[in-house]
Structures are given as structure tokens and as C-alpha cells.
Amino acid sequence: MNRNTKINALLLVVVAALAVLPLALGLGDGEEEPFTGADAQAETAITEIDPDYEPWFSPLYEPPSGEIESALFALQAALGAGVLAYYFGLRRGRRQGELRAVAQQDGDVAGESAARGN
């Protein structure tokens, strides 16, 4: 097993542990909504501290349901992942193209030297 395979396997185990451990340890069992986002938790904490708090601004668009909000969030995450994958793929392709060009150029130089009898 080469070094990259070991690193990838280790990263996969870490990601799986991050996904499974909160569920296995029962984190958030005593809460009404155990796995809410940080925004909702902050809003709850602020209203507990100061019930008369008025937000500075309101959202531009308020989805009609939580499912639509989750779908929009998933779409945003997918678009971001797609942009990152495109960028890293483009960089890798360029790097491989440069390596092929250098290898081809070195092959051409070696072929010319052999043709001259050097």
C-alpha cells in the first residue's frame, strides 16, 4: 500500500468517525432539536438572554418550509463542490499536460541527438 492510499484511508476513517460518533455517543439526546444548525442555536441563545432583541435586518427570501430551505442549502453545497472539483481538475490537467509536453520535448531532443549520431 503506497503512501497516498494510506492517507486516503485514514481520511476516510476520520470522516466516518465524525459522522458516526455524535450519533453513537448520543450527543444532543436531551435537546428538543438535537442537530440544529449554529444559526438556530444562536437565535435561541439570544432570545433567552434578551427577549426584546430586534434583528438588524431580515432575510431577502424566506423559504415556505424547512424542506425547501434544506434543498436550497444542499443545492448551494453541490454547486460549491462542483466549482471546487472543476478547479482542482483543471489544475491537475494542466500539470499533467505540462509534464507530457516536457517529456515529449525531452524525447524529441533525444531523438535528434540519436539521429545525429551523438
Side-chain angles (χ1 to χ4, degrees):
M1 194 187 300
N2 66 17
R3 184 171 185 249
N4 285 339
T5 305
K6 289 179 184 178
I7 291 172
N8 288 341
L10 178 65
L11 288 173
L12 184 63
V13 168
V14 169
V15 168
L18 285 173
V20 172
L21 280 177
L23 298 172
L25 297 175
L27 298 176
D29 281 345
E31 297 180 22
E32 187 176 314
E33 294 183 36
F35 296 109
T36 59
D39 292 345
Q41 291 176 352
E43 183 180 349
T44 303
I46 289 170
T47 54
E48 286 177 3
I49 294 170
D50 184 10
D52 298 328
Y53 176 76
E54 289 293 323
W56 292 357
F57 57 90
S58 61
L60 297 176
Y61 171 70
E62 188 71 35
S65 70
E67 291 83 9
I68 294 175
E69 184 176 356
S70 294
L72 290 174
F73 182 75
L75 177 64
Q76 177 186 359
L79 287 172
V83 168
L84 285 175
Y86 175 77
Y87 171 74
F88 286 120
L90 186 67
R91 282 192 47 181
R92 182 174 182 178
R94 283 184 180 170
R95 187 172 5 130
Q96 288 176 346
E98 289 172 359
L99 291 174
R100 284 185 190 138
V102 167
Q104 186 178 13
Q105 187 178 22
D106 290 345
D108 290 345
V109 170
E112 288 175 7
S113 296
R116 285 189 216 149
N118 292 339

